[in-house]
C-alpha cells in the first residue's frame, strides 16, 4: 500500500514538473528576452544530443528560429548558426539543414566547424536522394557536394564515409542510365527504331562509366540490340548491321571471355556469320 502511494506521488510530481516546465517554455516563446531564449535553447539542444530526444530538438528549434536573425554578425552568431543547422539535420529536415549549413559555410568560412558543416550539407543531399527511377536532381547535388568536401578536406574526419556515399550515389546514377538504355532494348521489338536508340545509349553508357558494375550487361544488351536490329532490317541495310553486331560480340568476348552472357551471344554470333555468307 505504501509502495503504491509512493509511486503515485512520484508520478504526480513528474506531471507537475512537466506542466510547470511547459508553462515556462510557452512564456519564454512569447518573451523578448533573447539571452534567456539562447540559454534555454542551448540547454534543450544539449539534452537532445545526449539522449536523442526529438521533442527537445523541436522545442529548441522553435527558440532558435526566433533568435537566429538577432545574433547574425554577433560573437554568439557562429555557434548559434551551427546549432540551428544541426537541429534541422537531427530532425531529418534535410532541405533546410542543407540550406543552413551552406549559409553557415558562407558566413563563417574560418570556423572550426566548417568541415563538419560541409560534410553534413553533403549528407543532407545524400539523405534526400530518391530511388534510382525517380528524378535524380538531389543525387547529382549530393555527388557534387561530397566531391567538394573530399577536395577541400582530403584528410578530413569524414573522408571514408563521404567516399562510400559518393560511390553509392554514382552507382545509383549509373543504374538509372543503364535502365533507360535497357528500356529501349526491351521495346525494340514493338518499335525497331528503339534498337538503334538502345545501341547509342549503351555506347554512351560504356564511354561515360568505365568502372561501372553494369558494364558487362551493357555490352551484352548493346550486342543483342544490334543483332535484333540487323536481322529485322531491309536487305540493303542488313550486311552493315550484322557486321556492327559482330564487332560488339568480339568486344564483349575480349573483355568477358567467361562472361555471364557468353553462351547466348555465341549462338547469335554463329547466326550472324551464317547470314553474312549470303552477301
Amino acid at each position: 500500500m505504501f509502495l503504491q502511494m509512493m509511486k503515485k506521488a512520484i508520478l504526480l510530481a513528474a506531471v507537475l514538473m512537466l506542466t510547470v516546465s511547459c508553462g515556462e517554455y510557452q512564456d519564454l516563446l512569447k518573451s523578448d528576452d533573447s539571452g534567456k531564449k539562447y540559454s534555454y535553447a542551448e540547454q534543450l539542444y544539449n539534452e537532445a544530443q545526449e539522449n536523442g530526444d526529438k521533442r527537445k530538438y523541436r522545442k529548441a528549434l522553435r527558440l532558435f528560429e526566433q533568435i537566429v536573425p538577432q545574433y547574425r554578425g554577433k560573437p554568439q552568431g557562429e555557434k548559434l548558426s551551427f546549432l540551428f543547422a544541426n537541429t534541422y539535420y537531427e530532425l531529418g529536415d534535410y532541405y533546410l539543414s542543407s540550406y543552413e549549413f551552406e549559409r553557415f559555410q558562407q558566413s563563417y568560412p574560418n570556423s572550426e566547424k566548417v568541415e563538419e558543416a560541409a560534410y553534413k550539407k553533403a549528407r543532407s543531399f545524400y539523405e534526400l536522394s530518391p530511388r534510382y527511377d525517380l528524378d535524380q536532381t538531389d543525387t547529382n547535388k549530393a555527388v557534387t557536394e561530397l566531391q567538394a568536401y573530399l577536395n577541400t578536406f582530403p584528410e578530413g574526419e569524414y573522408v571514408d564515409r563521404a567516399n562510400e556515399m559518393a560511390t553509392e550515389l554514382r552507382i545509383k546514377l549509373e543504374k538509372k542510365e543503364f535502365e533507360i538504355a535497357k528500356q529501349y532494348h526491351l521495346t525494340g521489338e514493338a518499335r525497331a527504331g528503339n534498337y538503334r536508340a538502345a545501341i547509342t545509349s549503351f555506347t554512351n553508357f560504356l564511354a561515360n562509366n568505365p568502372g561501372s558494375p553494369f558494364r558487362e550487361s551493357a555490352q551484352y544488351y548493346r550486342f543483342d540490340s544490334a543483332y535484333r536490329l540487323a536481322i529485322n532490317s531491309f536487305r540493303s541495310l542488313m550486311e552493315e548491321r550484322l557486321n556492327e553486331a559482330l564487332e560488339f560480340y568480339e568486344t564483349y568476348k575480349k573483355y568477358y571471355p567467361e562472361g555471364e552472357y557468353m553462351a547466348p551471344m555465341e549462338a547469335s554470333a554463329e547466326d550472324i556469320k551464317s547470314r553474312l555468307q549470303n552477301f
Side-chain angles (χ1 to χ4, degrees):
M1 184 71 174
F2 176 76
L3 184 59
Q4 288 181 339
M5 291 177 65
M6 284 294 293
K7 287 181 178 179
K8 288 181 179 179
I10 292 171
L11 179 60
L12 180 60
V15 171
L16 287 171
M17 287 178 64
L18 181 61
T19 302
V20 171
S21 174
C22 288
E24 290 176 345
Y25 176 72
Q26 292 300 324
D27 289 341
L28 191 57
L29 284 173
K30 300 172 186 175
S31 168
D32 294 327
D33 193 330
S34 299
K36 286 185 179 180
K37 289 182 178 182
Y38 189 126
S39 297
Y40 193 53
E42 187 176 4
Q43 177 187 328
L44 288 167
Y45 174 89
N46 290 333
E47 290 172 359
Q49 286 271 285
E50 290 176 5
N51 55 33
D53 189 335
K54 299 292 187 184
R55 292 173 300 174
K56 289 187 176 180
Y57 275 127
R58 283 190 285 269
K59 291 176 75 173
L61 182 62
R62 290 187 67 188
L63 293 169
F64 285 146
E65 287 173 337
Q66 291 185 353
I67 61 176
V68 163
Q70 300 171 36
Y71 280 94
R72 294 199 191 281
K74 296 181 179 180
Q76 306 98 317
E78 179 183 333
K79 181 178 182 181
L80 181 58
S81 294
F82 182 84
L83 297 184
F84 185 42
N86 204 50
T87 301
Y88 279 127
Y89 179 84
E90 294 292 347
L91 287 170
D93 194 338
Y94 297 116
Y95 279 116
L96 287 175
S97 66
S98 64
Y99 173 79
E100 291 299 336
F101 280 127
E102 170 73 23
R103 198 168 185 178
F104 177 84
Q105 284 181 277
Q106 293 176 349
S107 301
Y108 306 101
N110 298 317
S111 171
E112 64 178 15
K113 287 287 191 178
V114 74
E115 181 194 343
E116 185 176 352
Y119 168 74
K120 287 186 172 178
K121 177 181 67 173
R123 178 146 191 172
S124 294
F125 284 109
Y126 166 83
E127 297 292 349
L128 291 168
S129 175
R131 299 194 319 259
Y132 80 89
D133 55 329
L134 300 177
D135 180 78
Q136 295 300 306
T137 298
D138 288 324
T139 305
N140 283 306
K141 182 67 173 174
V143 171
T144 299
E145 294 296 342
L146 285 165
Q147 193 58 57
Y149 168 80
L150 292 167
N151 292 342
T152 307
F153 306 99
E155 304 297 327
E157 178 181 355
Y158 310 99
V159 163
D160 289 344
R161 182 64 185 125
N163 273 314
E164 289 173 3
M165 290 190 294
T167 299
E168 178 187 334
L169 295 180
R170 288 191 183 103
I171 289 174
K172 181 187 289 188
L173 292 171
E174 289 168 8
K175 182 173 178 60
K176 183 178 180 70
E177 186 179 351
F178 172 79
E179 291 294 339
I180 289 172
K182 187 177 175 181
Q183 192 61 31
Y184 283 125
H185 168 81
L186 294 175
T187 57
E189 190 170 341
R191 185 177 179 183
N194 282 3
Y195 282 134
R196 175 53 64 188
I199 295 166
T200 301
S201 297
F202 282 122
T203 299
N204 290 337
F205 176 87
L206 291 164
N208 296 334
N209 304 284
S212 174
F214 305 106
R215 281 187 68 80
E216 181 183 354
S217 294
Q219 293 269 19
Y220 164 71
Y221 284 112
R222 180 176 67 167
F223 161 77
D224 198 54
S225 295
Y227 169 66
R228 293 176 185 278
L229 177 67
I231 62 176
N232 288 289
S233 296
F234 293 114
R235 182 173 176 80
S236 60
L237 299 172
M238 188 178 292
E239 182 179 14
E240 179 183 353
R241 290 177 174 179
L242 287 170
N243 279 309
E244 180 184 45
L246 198 58
E247 288 177 11
F248 293 152
Y249 163 75
E250 295 296 341
T251 300
Y252 178 92
K253 185 177 179 181
K254 175 182 177 181
Y255 290 105
Y256 308 101
E258 305 295 328
E260 175 185 356
Y261 305 99
M262 200 66 228
M265 288 182 73
E266 283 183 334
S268 297
E270 287 303 314
D271 181 52
I272 290 173
K273 292 172 184 177
S274 175
R275 290 171 183 267
L276 284 173
Q277 291 177 354
N278 296 324
F279 288 91

